[in-house]
């Protein structure tokens, strides 16, 4: 799951990927900022207010040591660390509220992306999801009616105690789909994750916005055109 804001926008966003000669059989999607919209500012403001922190301090503390949380440590350990970074303390009740807020940050799905996934599946491609995310969000997604039915294989960092950009997490994804890496297209909003996927042998593209993505990527890989532009 990527961060919010300008760190997703790089000048190298649409540089041409490594050449590919094999037909794409599987498409693997990141979750945050690709399938799911970034958190709405008002949601972050409400969480920061309940934590008793200014928004900028709340966000800085929340992102400072994020990967261990995505890698499987408990919400209690993570949010106590967030509080320590912000020079405050969270009790168990406040931690439970922070978990609720965080699930709410990442529950607004982009229907255009989900619709394209269904189009890809109707055309015989298999679909994976590969995301850095913690146990509470993984559990929420698994309990969201219909959401997991979009995917033939699931790679969540918290389940594996691995996280992007480690090479093993990409291998888990394409091996689970039963395809070679060069038969796989990976889509992510962070350039370091895209580059790591390419290093693992996958085709990979940086996602900035849906509007920019659909102009270039489906045609580049001879994939079905999304119905919703």
């Amino acid at each position: 799951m990527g961060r919010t804001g300008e760190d997703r926008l790089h000048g190298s966003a649409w540089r041409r990927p490594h050449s590919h000669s094999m037909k794409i059989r599987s498409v693997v999607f990141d979750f945050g900022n690709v399938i799911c919209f970034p958190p709405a500012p008002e949601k972050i403001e409400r969480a920061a207010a309940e934590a008793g922190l200014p928004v900028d301090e709340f966000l800085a503390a929340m992102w400072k040591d994020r990967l261990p949380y995505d890698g499987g440590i408990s919400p209690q350990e993570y949010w106590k660390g967030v509080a320590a970074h912000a020079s405050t303390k969270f009790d168990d009740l406040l931690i439970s509220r922070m978990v609720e807020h965080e699930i709410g940050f990442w529950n607004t799905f982009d229907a255009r992306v989900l619709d394209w996934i269904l189009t890809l599946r109707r055309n015989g491609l298999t679909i994976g999801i590969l995301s850095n995310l913690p146990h509470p969000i993984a559990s929420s997604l698994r309990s969201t009616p219909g959401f997991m039915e979009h995917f033939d294989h699931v790679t969540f960092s918290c389940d594996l105690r691995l996280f992007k950009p480690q090479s093993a997490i990409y291998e888990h994804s394409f091996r689970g789909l039963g395809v070679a890496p060069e038969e796989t297209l990976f889509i992510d909003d962070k350039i370091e994750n895209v580059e790591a996927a390419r290093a693992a042998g996958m085709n990979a593209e940086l996602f900035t916005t849906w509007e920019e993505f659909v102009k270039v990527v489906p045609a580049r890989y001879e994939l079905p055109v999304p119905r919703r532009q």
Side-chain angles (χ1 to χ4, degrees), residues 58-147:
F58 176 76
L59 286 174
M62 190 177 78
W63 289 116
K64 185 172 179 59
D65 287 320
R66 182 71 182 190
L67 283 179
Y69 189 31
D70 290 339
I73 69 169
S74 70
Q76 290 74 21
E77 182 177 355
Y78 168 71
W79 284 105
K80 285 179 180 178
V82 170
H85 288 312
S87 301
T88 186
K89 291 184 178 181
F90 294 166
D91 60 21
D92 288 344
L93 179 59
L94 184 53
I95 288 173
S96 68
R97 289 288 300 141
M98 290 298 104
V99 170
E100 291 174 9
H101 279 296
E102 185 177 34
I103 290 170
F105 290 168
W106 303 102
N107 66 359
T108 305
F109 306 147
D110 191 333
R112 300 167 300 181
V113 178
L114 293 177
D115 183 74
W116 190 48
I117 287 173
L118 295 178
T119 297
L120 294 172
R121 296 191 72 182
R122 283 193 296 268
N123 281 270
L125 285 89
T126 54
I127 305 297
I129 183 170
L130 165 54
S131 184
N132 286 353
L133 46 74
H135 284 298
I137 295 176
S139 296
S140 175
L141 293 178
R142 288 185 166 114
S143 65
T144 299
F147 180 78

Side-chain angles (χ1 to χ4, degrees), residues 1-10 29-39 44 59 62-63 66-67 70 102 105-106 130-134 137 157 164 186-193 206-207:
M1 179 177 307
R3 294 183 61 165
T4 59
E6 66 275 5
D7 62 329
R8 298 190 298 119
L9 303 177
H10 298 268
F29 293 80
D30 179 33
F31 174 65
N33 301 328
V34 177
I35 293 173
C36 178
F37 287 108
I44 294 174
L59 286 174
M62 190 177 78
W63 289 116
R66 182 71 182 190
L67 283 179
D70 290 339
E102 185 177 34
F105 290 168
W106 303 102
L130 165 54
S131 184
N132 286 353
L133 46 74
I137 295 176
S157 60
K164 297 175 292 184
F186 175 60
I187 301 162
D188 196 282
D189 69 306
K190 298 184 74 173
I191 191 62
E192 59 266 35
N193 295 338
L206 184 69
F207 187 98

Side-chain angles (χ1 to χ4, degrees), residues 12 23 74 110-111 136 196 227-228:
S12 58
K23 182 178 177 64
S74 70
D110 191 333
R227 294 187 307 168
R228 302 174 70 169

